[in-house]
Amino acid sequence: MSILTDICELLQQGRTSQVRMLIQQALKEGISPDQILNEGLLAGMNIIGEKFKNDEVFIPEVLISARAMNAGIEMLKPHLIAAGVASKGTAVIGTVKGDLHDIGKSLVKMMIESKGMTVIDLGVDVPPQKFYEAAQENHADIVCLSALLTTTMYEMKNVVKIFVANNKRDSVKIMVGGAPITHEYCTAIGADCYAPDAVSAAEAALAFCSSGMIRN
Ligand code: B1M
């Protein structure tokens, strides 16, 4: 079906208005919203994700494609809801308390969304309590913490602690990332997963949800 291939191609080129136009046309032609999502938008974003991983494209290209994808998802949302297409899981994401860096966090958010998951973005400078409350309110499967400063990365431990203190540590996975974070640090603070980049973060988030690895 060439219209879906075209959406996939144009998304990779970040051509938002053309992506929107083709989605409109595809819907008119009776193509199902989940097919447009999976075979058009997500297919294109997955290719960009792989290219980013292999250093074939860089942050600006990813952000431009992600913008086209978000515009497409916004158009499809009412149709997807009407068709009862379920989200593949829910993530809460934010940059930890005291830290204002949001570019990497936003990239991680977009890549997780590109996997068909719902993401609640709490923004930057997020206190541990807010992560906890948002996870509870939204029945999150995974909590994603970003930190770029060696002076703020310690807040990640406080987020883990608040889930433990409320006896809810087993209800979510906690993923950590950002330039100063390492696998060793993740293990030391009792988080579940460290991802070095946005693509691996999205793959890990989806794997947690689809393999039923979330502990209840
Ligand atoms: Co700041 N800053 N900054 N800064 N800044 C760094 C981080 C720094 C390394 C620069 C340096 O000195 N070389 C340094 C930190 C040093 C340290 O702690 N060791 C630093 C500093 C010191 C500061 C201030 C303290 C400076 C000052 O005021 N004296 C201050 C702190 C403010 C605060 O947060 N309270 C500050 C401020 C700023 C700006 C506001 C000017 C701006 C942020 C703008 C914004 O985000 N809207 C800024 C910027 C832009 C940077 C650099 C230049 C770039 C960061 C960035 O966006 N990279 C940075 C130096 C550098 O990294 N070269 C620097 C691109 C982004 C895509 O990468 O965020 O690493 P990154 O995300 C990656 C991965 O880390 C990973 O995926 C992303 C992409 O694949 N990832 C995750 C990120 N989060 C993840 C979560 C996951 C998984 C993966 O799972 C949940």
Side-chain angles (χ1 to χ4, degrees):
M1 212 171 282
S2 83
I3 193 164
L4 296 177
T5 318
D6 288 348
I7 291 173
C8 171
E9 276 300 320
L10 289 165
L11 180 129
Q12 290 173 62
Q13 295 165 23
R15 305 202 177 207
T16 304
S17 53
Q18 283 168 276
V19 166
R20 289 175 65 91
M21 215 174 66
L22 283 188
I23 289 177
Q24 194 79 54
Q25 193 184 322
L27 288 168
K28 265 193 197 145
E29 287 179 17
I31 301 174
S32 72
D34 63 315
Q35 210 176 348
I36 300 172
L37 177 69
N38 288 311
E39 294 172 37
L41 298 176
L42 295 184
M45 205 61 207
N46 280 339
I47 294 172
I48 283 289
E50 276 308 306
K51 286 187 174 171
F52 182 55
K53 215 172 182 177
N54 299 328
D55 288 336
E56 290 168 45
V57 298
F58 300 96
I59 289 165
E61 286 100 321
V62 178
L63 290 175
I64 289 167
S65 291
R67 202 180 306 149
M69 190 199 65
N70 284 339
I73 285 180
E74 277 310 307
M75 280 183 80
L76 286 179
K77 239 178 212 167
H79 301 274
L80 290 168
I81 293 165
V85 175
S87 163
K88 291 177 181 163
T90 300
V92 162
I93 193 168
T95 304
V96 297
K97 188 176 166 190
D99 199 322
L100 303 176
H101 296 85
D102 74 348
I103 299 169
K105 182 267 299 167
S106 298
L107 214 47
V108 172
K109 174 196 172 186
M110 287 172 186
M111 294 312 294
I112 296 179
E113 281 178 335
S114 80
K115 296 286 179 193
M117 291 179 62
T118 303
V119 183
I120 316 294
D121 186 355
L122 302 178
V124 296
D125 191 18
V126 181
Q129 182 72 23
K130 203 166 165 192
F131 279 110
Y132 174 73
E133 285 168 4
Q136 294 306 113
E137 277 162 25
N138 296 286
H139 306 287
D141 300 297
I142 181 159
V143 174
C144 305
L145 310 175
S146 181
L148 264 284
L149 299 172
T150 45
T151 49
T152 59
M153 59 191 274
Y154 300 102
E155 285 295 340
M156 291 175 162
K157 187 170 185 176
N158 294 331
V159 179
V160 175
K161 274 185 183 165
I162 203 162
F163 279 90
V164 173
N166 286 285
N167 251 337
K168 291 285 179 192
R169 181 64 189 90
D170 287 345
S171 67
V172 285
K173 288 286 179 182
I174 298 180
M175 175 158 61
V176 293
I181 311 304
T182 60
H183 180 68
E184 289 69 31
Y185 182 67
C186 167
T187 309
I189 64 169
D192 296 296
C193 167
Y194 158 69
D197 55 60
V199 176
S200 341
E203 284 167 357
L206 184 64
F208 279 141
C209 294
S210 49
S211 67
M213 285 165 78
I214 308 297
R215 296 164 291 173
N216 285 309

